[in-house]
Amino acid sequence: MTELVQVAVAGDVTEAEEIQSLLQAAGIDSQLETAVEHHPRETEDAPQKVLVPEDQLEAAQHAIESQTEPDALA
């Protein structure tokens, strides 16, 4: 099995799922993982790591960059 590596950090679950959708459209599998420790009963969205297989990292970066407006990165 290929090791998973972080391709992005999203501010919340909704943003992470949007990134995950972009990757899925590009044929890249991904997983989400909480980026910070938080109490399990907290209802507030925590930042999320978006993880992809190591051998698909570069393709995932290109997929995200091609679907992100330059102004959104600033």
Side-chain angles (χ1 to χ4, degrees):
M1 179 171 166
T2 304
E3 183 177 336
L4 296 177
V5 294
Q6 180 180 313
V7 69
V9 176
D12 57 33
V13 172
T14 301
E15 183 182 350
E17 288 175 345
E18 289 173 6
I19 294 170
Q20 204 170 28
S21 292
L22 292 173
L23 294 171
Q24 184 177 9
I28 300 169
D29 291 329
S30 63
Q31 292 183 10
L32 303 181
E33 179 180 291
T34 305
V36 295
E37 288 189 34
H38 68 286
H39 194 279
R41 289 189 298 245
E42 285 185 12
T43 57
E44 185 177 331
D45 279 341
Q48 300 287 310
K49 294 179 188 176
V50 181
L51 306 171
V52 297
E54 187 173 23
D55 62 352
Q56 293 186 323
L57 177 61
E58 190 172 331
Q61 290 169 332
H62 288 299
I64 292 169
E65 289 170 6
S66 69
Q67 297 298 319
T68 307
E69 294 180 27
D71 294 341
L73 298 175

